[in-house]
Amino acid sequence: MRAMVLSRPGLPLEARDLPPREPGPGEIRLRVAACGVCRTDLHVVDGELPFLGRPVVPGHEIVGRVEALGPGVDRFRPGDRVGVPWLGWTCGACRFCTSGRENLCIRAQFTGYQRDGGYAEAAIADARYAFRIPEGYADDDAAPLLCAGLIGYRSWAPVRAARRLGLYGFGAAAHLVIQLARHAGQRVFAFTRPGDTAGQAFARSLGAEWAGGSDAPGPEPLEAAILFAPVGALVPAALRAVEPGGTVVCAGIHMSDIPSFPYALLWGERTVRSVANLTRSDGDELLVLAPTVPLRAEVVRYPLARANEALADLRAGRLRGAAVLIP
Ligand SMILES: [Zn+2]
Ligand SMILES: [Zn+2]
């Protein structure tokens, strides 16, 4: 099977032909139909997440059809359409797994990082961590839901009651979260790179009532903000933009260092928190909610062989919506 492989960080992905693997106990093999390109893939490829010492196939927004079942799999049948997210395996036994917080599992394995992912014609997944994809979504339209949508959902859930919500960084996750937020009746203020008038227009087209540069506060104090851009300097900027009692959620897995800031920005019972990974419940909830919104990803398609170009476009901020690779 054809796959795009990362040999070590800093190198472009290489197209290779790998022998197809048989699924082990509890595993399924998918014929990949589409795989989204996520900022976390960039963090892996660029070495901002630690290199694990062996080549890996990136990609954790996989949509495909089951083509082989390992021993003991009864959740799926050959031909079923499934999605495979970032959370690829958990231990089920640690203090986090046994308290409903499998997203924090100390032995977790992530798709496209510890486990080979979906930048390939086929992929192996643990069947327990795969989701059924709702009807009404084409394969490529569904792929971004599996991380941009899911991490977006997890970062939005704690602030879904805020009336004035700021979104910092208007990429794949934010363009889905704004749809959840508008559906829930929230007013949304979008903060982009200063001067990114195209990104600001995109945000307005999806229902932001204001969009502007992240270097200045918006027109009104926010009740909450979600940071999707991996820029630590936005933490004090967002704290400055939220009113007392407000919450700033950091949604990314990696962020540049946060500069020091005066305590007055945190004072007034403001909260700064991160969200990490996802639980299977997050996935179940989002995939029920998505068709009711209905959540629609704006997708930019690339053939699998052009994965490096998709990553470069994401790195440069040239994408409108979500990049998806098609094998
Ligand atoms: Zn665990
Ligand atoms: Zn991701």
Side-chain angles (χ1 to χ4, degrees), residues 91-94 97 105-106:
C91 76
C94 74
C97 281
C105 173
I106 56 179

Side-chain angles (χ1 to χ4, degrees), residues 168-170 190-200 210-217 229 231 233-234 237 316-317:
Y168 284 75
F170 207 82
F191 298 78
T192 70
R193 295 182 211 212
D196 179 9
T197 50
Q200 292 161 15
W210 175 92
S214 56
D215 52 343
V231 179
L234 291 176

